[in-house]
Amino acid sequence: MENNDISVTGPAYIITNPDAVQEVNIQTADFSAEFGRAGGAVFNQITKSGTNQLHGTATYVYDGSAFAALTHLQKNQNITTPPRQVENIPDFTIGGPVVFPHLYNGHNKTFFFAAAQWDRLFGKTSASTPLVLPTDTGVATLQTLAAQCPNAALYLQALGSLRGDPNASPSSISLAVPSATGTCTNSTRTGLALATGNFLRVAPFSSLDNNHQIRIDHKPSDKQNMSFRWLYDNLVQSPSLNNLPGFDNAFTGKTLSGTFADTYVIRSNWTNEFRFNYGRIGFNFPLLAPDSFHATLPNYLISGVTNAFTSSGSIGGATNIPQFRYANNWQYQDTMSVVHGRHTFRFGLDFLRQLARQHPPFNERGSFGYFASGSVTSFSNFLDDFGGDGGSLNRQFGSSIYHPNLFRQSYFFQDSWKTTQNLTLNLGLRYENFGTPVNTFTVAAFTNYDPVNFAAPHKVDGDNNNFAPSVGFAWNPKGTSFLDRMMGGGKTVWRGGFQVSYDTWFNNLLSNIAGSSPNTLGGIIPSTTSAAAPRGLANFSGQFATIQATPPTAQSPQQNLFLQPFRNPYTDRWSLGFEHEFPYGFIWDTSYVGSVSHKLFRTIDMNPIVDPVTRARFQPQVGARTVRASSANSNYQSLQLDLKRRFSGTPVGQVQLEGSYTYSHFLDDVSDVFGFDSTPSSFQSVSQVLGGSRHLDYGNSDFDRRHVGAIALLWDVRGPRQGILGALVGGWQLSGIAHWQTGFPFTVVNGADRNSDGQAGPDRPDIGSLSAPLNTRAIKKSTCSTGFGNPDAAGTPCVDPATVHFIEGSGNPNGQTVGRNTLRAPGIDNLDLAIAKRFRFTERMNLEYRVDMFNALNTLNLGYRVASRTVNGSAPGSFLDFNQTASIARTMRMRLKFSF
């Protein structure tokens, strides 16, 4: 049944009680037309049901900081004990026949199953990366300026009592300016600098989750089975750290689902399966503001200060908060199975009616962006209230709530044809139509540079030809011929196939349209530098009040509209492999798996700047135009090896073992339409409207993991099962999972708009010297004879570009320009262990005590986050330093479970 978050990928409802799950089914190469939206895999959770015997569990899980080790960032901050955290997770399950004494006896006919879990987590949360804040010395400097500089006073008010650590990546930001004209101090502040240091923010955190389910199964006759399942989850988490205290946000999520299913045997060879589901999703992201100052302050982005490693802003609430999304889903499915000779036919349909309401990211409080200009730092421009080169003021007006309702329909036909006793063919065809919820907006499609009808209705054409064939085979060469023996004989199964699958849009794309002109009213005031205004727009914050809710003009920016034709992405996937059974219960599986995806979403600047002096655009009759396009491709190829041993007896006890290894290469034009951790921008480095190839940035995918290996072991230790010895030394179980993988690729960022097209995000630097240390860089500095300075040294002294690895690039990309995703983060090496002891009271009652250890060896893995990687923008001393990224230290939890 439909269980997808309507705005982003991932499930809306998650069954968190493991004892409520009967089976988890992951289909990666089923090649059945019955399942759609499966370019990667289909995950099915099958819940438990009642039986004729009353059965159940009662479990208590404890997880806390008492069992946790320090992360390396905590050690660097001289923290001696992990932040206190306590998590208590009680849960229960119970199932059996429905019996009302003297009224109804449901044995062999009616059954119930119920489960509940309460997850209570209290503790502290840490920022993923350190903040760059003024030290006590830096705050003293700002306090001397606050009387003359209103922005210094505002910054101090937002900063509160937080201070940077002078011993943690100490640095300084120059406050000097070349001219006293327009400064708040009426001086050049020669030699004055703001002392900064890192600060890892830690704050109290709570996560409260209630997860419940009820299932009723009824068997009216031997021909019919009916069931009803109710799922409910309520989650409240607070806070999600933004930048400084007072500007965080919370999350509240409530999901529920009721499903009725009826399976009826029409004839001995004909079965009908009917399902109806109602589901509701409700996710809310409110701003946690303690007072009016924090509730109303616009977002201030001061490049290189406070949140030096992200774009979420230096101070102020995030511009995308508050948000919410609600969806009511009515779904009807019907599938028939008919067996005719050697054919098993399955065919059916799936209808979904979704009524939704969303509050998208909407910059209702406004945002200020202060940037550097020449040798003047962004913080100096902030103090003196100059916008700098590339700064901007933004604000939106009105109500952003929209209703992305849809009707989705799917049909499929599948034939499982047993051509011979050892060869089965699966042939199928699926059709999907996901609707066009984007057409809830008056202007949904790109208006094609029209300076007159830019606000007239423009709708997106539907994608109505999503036919997806599938073909697969399973062959067991169990004959006696030479070919059969050569292909492995009766203990080998060969499988392979090909399938096309389509996917739908997700509403985050629509949310961006809802917050963009001409579908909303707003304004932007840019700041650019010139000979007359070397520091950009003066009295920058004073201009904010002049932004009015005025009707859009042809010069108003239009962002995120869909470029026609806008199609559903689809994936061609195939595999060929064999599985062979060896003695002693071992099974070897070898597969070649590949997929190519087409029509993937990307972002294109359709009207870039072509004259850096006049700022004229490609089509000067209209303003900025960015679109979402379905024009990117990806390619995945892999060799997958797996060796497993079924859970069976050995001289030392029951043992199950599995080891797997995958060698793969994943390439794409862009990995995420919004930009991902590895690649911070989804724009092309040179827009295709200026002649850039749409495959210009084709390279390693953000998701490329070249080598992945894992070993899993489950061992029921042999020992006595009865008596005192059985209670003391019997019933032990050990298990573990070891996992290794190469690091993810990431892109080094230029930090400045090298080709002056108005998009700095996708620009990459040039190589200075491949032999220089990887973490060395140089930025442009006109006062140096070499043209470059070292931003990691105090005062940015001049440097020879041939002595550093990366240099800030200028002009269009060239042969020296760094490619996309050419560097890799450190790999992952992790071991999880568990030990359990079972105490058996009777045949039907037992108690289990279990301890789980995650990252049991406390291995330092720095491959979870991207290091600061902006040539012109990373804080001094942070460039490509993975020691400043978050790691995951060892944690443990205990579980006590009573089963009956």
Side-chain angles (χ1 to χ4, degrees), residues 10 58 79 106 141 160 209 257 410 614 761:
I79 297 174
T141 301
D209 183 43
S257 172
S410 306
T614 64

Side-chain angles (χ1 to χ4, degrees), residues 180-191:
T181 303
T183 63
C184 58
T185 56
N186 294 316
S187 69
T188 60
R189 300 192 290 268
T190 302

Side-chain angles (χ1 to χ4, degrees), residues 603-676:
T603 308
I604 302 176
D605 188 346
M606 298 296 290
N607 202 24
I609 294 171
V610 294
D611 190 329
V613 177
T614 64
R615 311 294 285 183
R617 295 188 176 272
F618 173 65
Q619 295 289 337
Q621 72 274 18
V622 294
R625 296 290 187 268
T626 64
V627 300
R628 307 294 193 192
S630 54
S631 61
N633 297 325
S634 71
N635 189 325
Y636 173 81
Q637 310 291 329
S638 69
L639 173 66
Q640 301 178 8
L641 308 175
D642 183 82
L643 176 66
K644 57 187 173 185
R645 183 185 188 275
R646 292 187 291 266
F647 193 64
S648 55
T650 71
V652 296
Q654 301 279 103
V655 174
Q656 178 178 323
L657 177 67
E658 183 167 3
S660 64
Y661 168 75
T662 298
Y663 172 78
S664 65
H665 197 182
F666 197 173
L667 299 156
D668 57 27
D669 294 312
V670 61
S671 299
D672 189 276
V673 67
F674 300 113
F676 204 64

Side-chain angles (χ1 to χ4, degrees), residues 788-809:
F788 292 91
N790 178 8
D792 292 307
T796 316
C798 300
V799 65
D800 183 353
T803 63
V804 298
H805 202 99
F806 299 101
I807 61 174
E808 181 183 344

Side-chain angles (χ1 to χ4, degrees), residues 497-580:
F498 172 85
Q499 185 172 32
V500 178
S501 58
Y502 287 85
D503 206 346
T504 185
W505 311 334
F506 48 97
N507 285 0
N508 225 348
L509 297 172
L510 279 61
S511 294
N512 296 151
I513 295 177
S516 175
S517 175
N519 294 299
T520 187
L521 299 178
I524 178 172
I525 298 178
S527 172
T528 58
T529 57
S530 65
R535 298 180 64 184
L537 187 63
N539 189 26
F540 196 48
S541 61
Q543 309 298 319
F544 183 71
T546 66
I547 302 178
Q548 300 294 324
T550 55
T553 68
Q555 292 298 321
S556 299
Q558 286 189 3
Q559 299 174 331
N560 310 312
L561 299 179
F562 286 7
L563 180 65
Q564 300 267 41
F566 197 84
R567 297 294 182 243
N568 291 110
Y570 67 93
T571 298
D572 300 328
R573 58 192 179 103
W574 57 88
S575 70
L576 177 64
F578 67 89
E579 186 178 76
H580 184 79

